[in-house]
Amino acid sequence: MTKDSTKPRIGIIGTGAIGGFYGLMLARAGYDVHFLLRSEFDAVSQNGLRLESKVHGPLTLENVQAYASADDMPPCEWLLVGAKTTSNAELAPAITAAAAPNAKVLLLQNGLDVEEALRPLLPDSLHLLGGLCFICVHRTGPGQIAHEAFGAVNLGYHSGPGYGNNLRQSILEHGATLFRAAGIETSVMENLEQARWQKLVWNIPYNGLSVLLGEGTTALMADADSAELIHEVMNEVVEGAAACGYDLPAGYAERLFNVTRQMPDYQPSMFHDLREKRPLELEAIYAKPLAAALAGGYDMPKIRALHHALSFMDRRNRQAPTPL
């Protein structure tokens, strides 16, 4: 695919399932995309990125512009952060190194207050945005990604030199244009915090229960007890959001529940994190929402129980020796 020099240069910080998928799609749309990798640098440099998608079919990006260090990347006008929230603090220097002046940094991450934690670590001149990805995608090997369903991204502005509403809106619309040019459905969100609570309605029950029960969405939805628990946890998230001043759309949780029942079987990201002995994103997806709702006067006891159980599993999993 020929690059268009009039389009902004895009950097991918964290080329896992999320960063790899959106980076590949943007590169195929003609954008100049540069990928920062760690352990998979050699594999991607030699073999490219490979996507097996049930939506787009098999896609390959050859001759990937891959880097093992952000210091070697050219200045990028847009930086898409696809790494887990657990690594944000150590990613801040890489983001700063790869950023062009007044760059837009888009966090394609789950959870609450992820921008708040990263903002003090970045230069004030950088625009910080949040992106909520509604997608079923996971890595299957070095530089190999499986895409089961969906792909939409919701964008919201967090902070930076874009103080005026018109400038913030212009930046968001520009970001949406990038994704739409790559065939990705994209919406601009007026309130980023509310958008994050909406995403938590799905992430909190399905991520946690996939880990605790060792099953994907199909099995969780097929069993009456686990399905009832999902409903109850979803309702706690909705009430927690309301306690924080965010009234989610009527029937939102039920719509997500029904969509999940109809989609292909999917193991959420936390399921894969546990299996591959990576830290679970408990702070952003559980601890922060629990604290925010409690500060608003509402406790979420079922979510608190999930958090305690997941914390135990996370500690035990990372202490266990890796099988030979």
Side-chain angles (χ1 to χ4, degrees), residues 121-235:
L121 306 177
L122 298 178
D124 293 339
S125 61
L126 299 184
H127 300 272
L128 186 58
L129 295 79
L132 287 305
C133 305
F134 295 84
I135 187 170
C136 297
V137 64
H138 68 277
R139 287 174 59 261
T140 56
Q144 300 176 23
I145 303 164
H147 175 217
E148 299 292 332
F150 310 122
V153 180
N154 289 346
L155 305 180
Y157 191 95
H158 179 266
S159 58
Y163 296 117
N165 287 335
N166 288 342
L167 178 56
R168 292 186 177 201
Q169 188 68 20
S170 175
I171 290 171
L172 288 171
E173 291 295 347
H174 184 203
T177 298
L178 305 183
F179 285 102
R180 290 169 186 157
I184 305 297
E185 180 185 348
T186 311
S187 298
V188 169
M189 305 297 289
E190 293 184 6
N191 190 306
L192 177 58
E193 196 77 355
Q194 175 159 332
R196 289 204 166 278
W197 273 105
Q198 289 182 201
K199 184 71 186 297
L200 287 168
V201 174
W202 197 94
N203 271 325
I204 285 179
Y206 289 103
N207 268 291
L209 291 176
S210 74
V211 169
L212 295 175
L213 302 180
E215 294 286 355
T217 54
T218 297
L220 294 177
M221 298 300 288
D223 182 86
D225 287 322
S226 57
E228 181 178 353
L229 181 55
I230 290 167
H231 256 137
E232 293 171 349
V233 171
M234 282 182 157
N235 288 335

